Amino acid sequence: MGTQETNRLKDLRSKFLQMTSPQEFGQERKENVTIISRNVPPMLARADASFLVLTDLLRNIPPEKCTEPDYSRFHALANEAYTMAKDADLLTKADHIQADFSDLTGSLSFLCRHLKVLQAAAEAKNSSCDLKVGICAGLPPGPETQCCFYHSISEQILRNLQSALAKLCPAFQEKRQLFLESLTKSDMDRFARAHEEFMADCKKRMDGSLS
């Protein structure tokens, strides 16, 4: 385990050691599972809820209506969810628990990368200080031309992302169902309660999008 992961694990321990829970996480585990890893189900619930809310929103929004503040909100939520999923994975590894979150972390990483590009393109659309990209693309210099260029780019990137999500989401749902079926009853109860709360919170945070 690298220095960065070790430091993150120490930080997580300081946050979670004060929490108590009767549940243990995962079907395959060692006998003395720590309190820390017992908090993994609600962590995964938060990451999963964020992914479901974001992908549902992104698959249905008109590309021409999305703005830089929208992409900023999307990207921030995706980053939070990805960090939460990675932390959950780190905690289970620290307890030597056999659990595979690669589908969730991989899907969130994919989402983060694309939303970062979309956010950058939307930000560039509102700036007239750098015309190099537009000029290299054969467009005449000028704020109006640049704005049009980046607007077209961001729309096309979102359309490409929507096409990718149309394939990714059904595959993710299939793997997600298998993962949920592997949980113990107590873990599933904790996951479900936390998931309901985080779904409501994520939807509330996204309410300002596309306004």
Side-chain angles (χ1 to χ4, degrees):
M1 186 178 294
T3 302
Q4 185 176 2
E5 288 188 338
T6 300
N7 292 336
R8 180 177 285 277
L9 180 57
K10 289 180 180 179
D11 180 61
L12 288 170
R13 284 183 184 277
S14 67
K15 293 178 181 178
F16 288 114
L17 275 175
Q18 296 180 1
M19 298 183 182
T20 58
S21 169
Q23 288 82 21
E24 297 178 350
F25 177 75
Q27 296 281 23
E28 299 180 29
R29 70 194 93 186
K30 64 180 185 178
E31 291 184 2
N32 298 316
V33 178
T34 70
I35 293 174
I36 298 172
S37 63
R38 295 170 189 169
N39 290 279
V40 168
M43 293 171 71
L44 290 175
R46 179 175 180 177
D48 182 73
S50 300
F51 181 78
L52 295 179
V53 170
L54 277 173
T55 52
D56 182 64
L57 181 60
L58 286 167
R59 290 177 69 182
N60 293 288
I61 58 175
E64 66 276 6
K65 290 187 177 181
C66 232
T67 64
E68 190 275 328
D70 296 320
Y71 288 127
S72 295
R73 280 189 285 270
F74 301 159
H75 190 215
L77 183 60
N79 268 328
E80 290 173 16
Y82 177 68
T83 299
M84 189 66 65
K86 291 292 287 184
D87 285 347
D89 185 52
L90 181 61
L91 292 177
T92 57
K93 283 182 170 58
D95 265 354
H96 307 290
I97 297 171
Q98 300 300 315
D100 184 8
F101 311 144
S102 58
D103 292 304
L104 179 58
T105 55
S107 298
L108 283 166
S109 176
F110 170 84
L111 204 56
C112 285
R113 291 195 303 271
H114 282 75
L115 287 172
K116 184 177 181 179
V117 174
L118 281 164
Q119 184 181 3
E123 288 173 348
K125 182 184 69 175
N126 298 325
S127 172
S128 59
C129 62
D130 183 5
L131 304 177
K132 292 181 180 178
V133 175
I135 293 173
C136 290
L139 299 174
E144 291 183 1
T145 296
Q146 184 193 19
C147 181
C148 181
F149 172 75
Y150 282 114
H151 186 70
S152 298
I153 288 294
S154 60
E155 284 188 21
Q156 186 57 54
I157 295 172
L158 179 54
R159 289 192 181 94
N160 292 343
L161 176 58
Q162 289 175 330
S163 296
L165 290 177
K167 298 179 181 179
L168 172 65
C169 289
F172 174 80
Q173 286 287 6
E174 183 177 342
K175 294 291 184 66
R176 178 179 183 271
Q177 185 59 38
L178 292 175
F179 169 75
L180 294 178
E181 290 173 358
S182 73
L183 295 178
T184 62
K185 184 180 184 302
S186 58
D187 287 333
M188 187 62 227
D189 289 343
R190 293 197 73 211
F191 181 94
R193 288 196 300 270
H195 199 273
E196 182 179 359
E197 178 181 344
F198 286 125
M199 282 288 284
D201 179 66
C202 291
K203 289 177 179 179
K204 183 177 180 180
R205 289 179 61 180
M206 294 298 104
D207 275 349
S209 300
L210 306 179
S211 57

